[in-house]
Short mmCIF file of all heavy atoms in Angstrom, two decimals:
data_model
loop_
_atom_site.label_atom_id
_atom_site.label_comp_id
_atom_site.label_asym_id
_atom_site.label_seq_id
_atom_site.Cartn_x
_atom_site.Cartn_y
_atom_site.Cartn_z
N VAL A 126 -46.87 -5.42 31.11
CA VAL A 126 -47.50 -4.93 29.88
C VAL A 126 -46.94 -3.57 29.50
O VAL A 126 -46.60 -3.32 28.33
CB VAL A 126 -49.03 -4.84 30.05
CG1 VAL A 126 -49.67 -4.15 28.85
CG2 VAL A 126 -49.64 -6.23 30.24
N ALA A 127 -46.81 -2.69 30.50
CA ALA A 127 -46.33 -1.33 30.24
C ALA A 127 -44.88 -1.32 29.76
O ALA A 127 -44.53 -0.58 28.84
CB ALA A 127 -46.47 -0.48 31.50
N GLU A 128 -44.06 -2.16 30.38
CA GLU A 128 -42.62 -2.12 30.05
C GLU A 128 -42.28 -2.95 28.82
O GLU A 128 -41.17 -2.82 28.27
CB GLU A 128 -41.80 -2.61 31.24
CG GLU A 128 -40.33 -2.27 31.11
CD GLU A 128 -39.48 -2.76 32.26
OE1 GLU A 128 -39.92 -2.67 33.41
OE2 GLU A 128 -38.36 -3.24 31.99
N ALA A 129 -43.21 -3.79 28.35
CA ALA A 129 -42.94 -4.63 27.18
C ALA A 129 -42.44 -3.79 26.02
O ALA A 129 -43.04 -2.77 25.67
CB ALA A 129 -44.21 -5.38 26.78
N GLY A 130 -41.36 -4.20 25.44
CA GLY A 130 -40.82 -3.50 24.28
C GLY A 130 -39.70 -2.54 24.60
O GLY A 130 -38.98 -2.11 23.68
N PHE A 131 -39.48 -2.21 25.88
CA PHE A 131 -38.43 -1.23 26.17
C PHE A 131 -37.04 -1.78 25.84
O PHE A 131 -36.31 -1.21 25.02
CB PHE A 131 -38.47 -0.78 27.63
CG PHE A 131 -37.35 0.16 27.99
CD1 PHE A 131 -37.39 1.48 27.59
CD2 PHE A 131 -36.23 -0.28 28.69
CE1 PHE A 131 -36.35 2.36 27.89
CE2 PHE A 131 -35.19 0.58 29.00
CZ PHE A 131 -35.25 1.89 28.59
N PHE A 132 -36.67 -2.90 26.48
CA PHE A 132 -35.33 -3.43 26.24
C PHE A 132 -35.11 -3.85 24.79
O PHE A 132 -34.14 -3.42 24.17
CB PHE A 132 -35.03 -4.59 27.20
CG PHE A 132 -33.73 -5.26 26.91
CD1 PHE A 132 -32.54 -4.66 27.29
CD2 PHE A 132 -33.67 -6.45 26.21
CE1 PHE A 132 -31.32 -5.25 27.00
CE2 PHE A 132 -32.46 -7.06 25.91
CZ PHE A 132 -31.28 -6.45 26.32
N PRO A 133 -35.98 -4.69 24.20
CA PRO A 133 -35.74 -5.05 22.80
C PRO A 133 -35.84 -3.85 21.88
O PRO A 133 -35.21 -3.80 20.82
CB PRO A 133 -36.82 -6.09 22.49
CG PRO A 133 -37.89 -5.82 23.47
CD PRO A 133 -37.18 -5.37 24.72
N GLY A 134 -36.65 -2.86 22.28
CA GLY A 134 -36.74 -1.64 21.49
C GLY A 134 -35.42 -0.88 21.45
O GLY A 134 -35.02 -0.37 20.40
N ILE A 135 -34.73 -0.83 22.59
CA ILE A 135 -33.43 -0.16 22.62
C ILE A 135 -32.40 -0.97 21.82
O ILE A 135 -31.57 -0.40 21.09
CB ILE A 135 -32.94 0.03 24.07
CG1 ILE A 135 -33.90 0.94 24.84
CG2 ILE A 135 -31.54 0.64 24.07
CD1 ILE A 135 -34.05 2.33 24.29
N ILE A 136 -32.43 -2.30 21.95
CA ILE A 136 -31.52 -3.13 21.16
C ILE A 136 -31.75 -2.90 19.67
O ILE A 136 -30.81 -2.77 18.88
CB ILE A 136 -31.71 -4.63 21.51
CG1 ILE A 136 -31.33 -4.90 22.97
CG2 ILE A 136 -30.89 -5.51 20.57
CD1 ILE A 136 -29.88 -4.63 23.30
N LEU A 137 -33.02 -2.83 19.27
CA LEU A 137 -33.37 -2.53 17.87
C LEU A 137 -32.89 -1.12 17.50
O LEU A 137 -32.31 -0.91 16.43
CB LEU A 137 -34.88 -2.64 17.68
CG LEU A 137 -35.41 -2.25 16.29
CD1 LEU A 137 -34.91 -3.22 15.23
CD2 LEU A 137 -36.95 -2.22 16.31
N TYR A 138 -33.12 -0.16 18.38
CA TYR A 138 -32.73 1.23 18.12
C TYR A 138 -31.22 1.35 17.89
O TYR A 138 -30.78 2.11 17.01
CB TYR A 138 -33.15 2.08 19.32
CG TYR A 138 -32.90 3.56 19.18
CD1 TYR A 138 -33.56 4.30 18.21
CD2 TYR A 138 -32.03 4.21 20.04
CE1 TYR A 138 -33.34 5.67 18.09
CE2 TYR A 138 -31.80 5.57 19.94
CZ TYR A 138 -32.46 6.30 18.96
OH TYR A 138 -32.24 7.65 18.85
N LEU A 139 -30.43 0.59 18.62
CA LEU A 139 -28.97 0.64 18.44
C LEU A 139 -28.57 0.12 17.06
O LEU A 139 -27.55 0.57 16.51
CB LEU A 139 -28.27 -0.17 19.53
CG LEU A 139 -28.38 0.39 20.96
CD1 LEU A 139 -27.71 -0.53 21.95
CD2 LEU A 139 -27.80 1.80 21.05
N THR A 140 -29.37 -0.79 16.47
CA THR A 140 -29.05 -1.27 15.12
C THR A 140 -29.30 -0.19 14.07
O THR A 140 -28.82 -0.31 12.94
CB THR A 140 -29.88 -2.52 14.75
OG1 THR A 140 -31.26 -2.18 14.57
CG2 THR A 140 -29.76 -3.60 15.81
N TYR A 141 -30.04 0.87 14.42
CA TYR A 141 -30.24 1.98 13.49
C TYR A 141 -29.01 2.87 13.39
O TYR A 141 -28.92 3.71 12.49
CB TYR A 141 -31.42 2.85 13.94
CG TYR A 141 -32.77 2.18 13.99
CD1 TYR A 141 -33.83 2.79 14.65
CD2 TYR A 141 -33.01 0.95 13.38
CE1 TYR A 141 -35.09 2.20 14.70
CE2 TYR A 141 -34.26 0.36 13.43
CZ TYR A 141 -35.29 0.98 14.09
OH TYR A 141 -36.53 0.39 14.15
N TRP A 142 -28.08 2.70 14.34
CA TRP A 142 -26.93 3.60 14.43
C TRP A 142 -25.58 2.90 14.27
O TRP A 142 -24.64 3.49 13.72
CB TRP A 142 -26.93 4.32 15.79
CG TRP A 142 -28.14 5.15 16.02
CD1 TRP A 142 -29.36 4.74 16.51
CD2 TRP A 142 -28.29 6.55 15.77
NE1 TRP A 142 -30.24 5.78 16.59
CE2 TRP A 142 -29.62 6.91 16.14
CE3 TRP A 142 -27.43 7.54 15.28
CZ2 TRP A 142 -30.09 8.21 16.02
CZ3 TRP A 142 -27.91 8.84 15.17
CH2 TRP A 142 -29.22 9.16 15.54
N TYR A 143 -25.48 1.66 14.77
CA TYR A 143 -24.18 0.98 14.82
C TYR A 143 -24.17 -0.30 13.98
O TYR A 143 -25.12 -1.09 14.06
CB TYR A 143 -23.83 0.58 16.26
CG TYR A 143 -23.66 1.74 17.20
CD1 TYR A 143 -24.73 2.20 17.98
CD2 TYR A 143 -22.43 2.37 17.34
CE1 TYR A 143 -24.57 3.26 18.87
CE2 TYR A 143 -22.26 3.43 18.22
CZ TYR A 143 -23.33 3.87 18.97
OH TYR A 143 -23.18 4.91 19.85
N PRO A 144 -23.09 -0.55 13.21
CA PRO A 144 -22.94 -1.84 12.52
C PRO A 144 -22.55 -2.92 13.51
O PRO A 144 -22.13 -2.63 14.64
CB PRO A 144 -21.81 -1.55 11.52
CG PRO A 144 -20.98 -0.51 12.18
CD PRO A 144 -21.96 0.36 12.94
N SER A 145 -22.67 -4.18 13.10
CA SER A 145 -22.42 -5.29 14.01
C SER A 145 -21.00 -5.28 14.56
O SER A 145 -20.76 -5.74 15.68
CB SER A 145 -22.70 -6.62 13.30
OG SER A 145 -21.87 -6.75 12.15
N SER A 146 -20.04 -4.77 13.79
CA SER A 146 -18.64 -4.79 14.23
C SER A 146 -18.40 -3.93 15.47
O SER A 146 -17.39 -4.07 16.15
CB SER A 146 -17.72 -4.31 13.10
OG SER A 146 -18.06 -2.98 12.71
N ARG A 147 -19.33 -3.02 15.78
CA ARG A 147 -19.19 -2.14 16.93
C ARG A 147 -20.24 -2.41 18.01
O ARG A 147 -20.24 -1.76 19.05
CB ARG A 147 -19.31 -0.67 16.49
CG ARG A 147 -18.18 -0.20 15.59
CD ARG A 147 -18.40 1.22 15.13
NE ARG A 147 -17.32 1.69 14.28
CZ ARG A 147 -16.25 2.36 14.71
NH1 ARG A 147 -16.12 2.64 15.98
NH2 ARG A 147 -15.30 2.73 13.87
N ARG A 148 -21.12 -3.36 17.75
CA ARG A 148 -22.33 -3.44 18.56
C ARG A 148 -22.13 -4.14 19.91
O ARG A 148 -22.84 -3.83 20.87
CB ARG A 148 -23.43 -4.14 17.76
CG ARG A 148 -24.83 -3.70 18.16
CD ARG A 148 -25.84 -4.26 17.19
NE ARG A 148 -25.79 -3.60 15.90
CZ ARG A 148 -25.92 -4.21 14.74
NH1 ARG A 148 -26.12 -5.51 14.70
NH2 ARG A 148 -25.88 -3.53 13.61
N ALA A 149 -21.20 -5.10 20.01
CA ALA A 149 -21.04 -5.81 21.28
C ALA A 149 -20.61 -4.86 22.39
O ALA A 149 -21.16 -4.89 23.50
CB ALA A 149 -20.03 -6.95 21.13
N LYS A 150 -19.63 -4.00 22.10
CA LYS A 150 -19.16 -3.06 23.12
C LYS A 150 -20.24 -2.05 23.48
O LYS A 150 -20.46 -1.76 24.66
CB LYS A 150 -17.92 -2.32 22.61
CG LYS A 150 -17.33 -1.35 23.62
CD LYS A 150 -16.07 -0.68 23.09
CE LYS A 150 -16.40 0.33 22.01
NZ LYS A 150 -15.20 1.10 21.59
N ILE A 151 -20.95 -1.55 22.47
CA ILE A 151 -22.01 -0.57 22.71
C ILE A 151 -23.15 -1.19 23.51
O ILE A 151 -23.67 -0.58 24.46
CB ILE A 151 -22.51 0.00 21.37
CG1 ILE A 151 -21.42 0.82 20.70
CG2 ILE A 151 -23.77 0.84 21.59
CD1 ILE A 151 -20.94 2.01 21.52
N THR A 152 -23.54 -2.40 23.14
CA THR A 152 -24.60 -3.08 23.87
C THR A 152 -24.19 -3.32 25.32
O THR A 152 -24.99 -3.14 26.25
CB THR A 152 -24.95 -4.43 23.21
OG1 THR A 152 -25.35 -4.19 21.85
CG2 THR A 152 -26.09 -5.13 23.94
N ALA A 153 -22.93 -3.70 25.52
CA ALA A 153 -22.43 -3.92 26.88
C ALA A 153 -22.47 -2.63 27.69
O ALA A 153 -22.85 -2.63 28.87
CB ALA A 153 -21.01 -4.47 26.84
N MET A 154 -22.08 -1.51 27.06
CA MET A 154 -22.11 -0.22 27.76
C MET A 154 -23.54 0.13 28.18
O MET A 154 -23.78 0.58 29.30
CB MET A 154 -21.54 0.87 26.86
CG MET A 154 -20.04 0.74 26.62
SD MET A 154 -19.43 1.89 25.34
CE MET A 154 -19.72 3.47 26.13
#
Side-chain angles (χ1 to χ4, degrees):
V126 172
E128 195 181 319
F131 176 76
F132 174 77
I135 298 298
I136 296 297
L137 176 65
Y138 184 64
L139 293 177
T140 69
Y141 298 166
W142 299 85
Y143 296 94
S145 59
S146 60
R147 294 177 179 267
R148 208 171 287 141
K150 182 178 72 174
I151 293 300
T152 302
M154 291 171 66

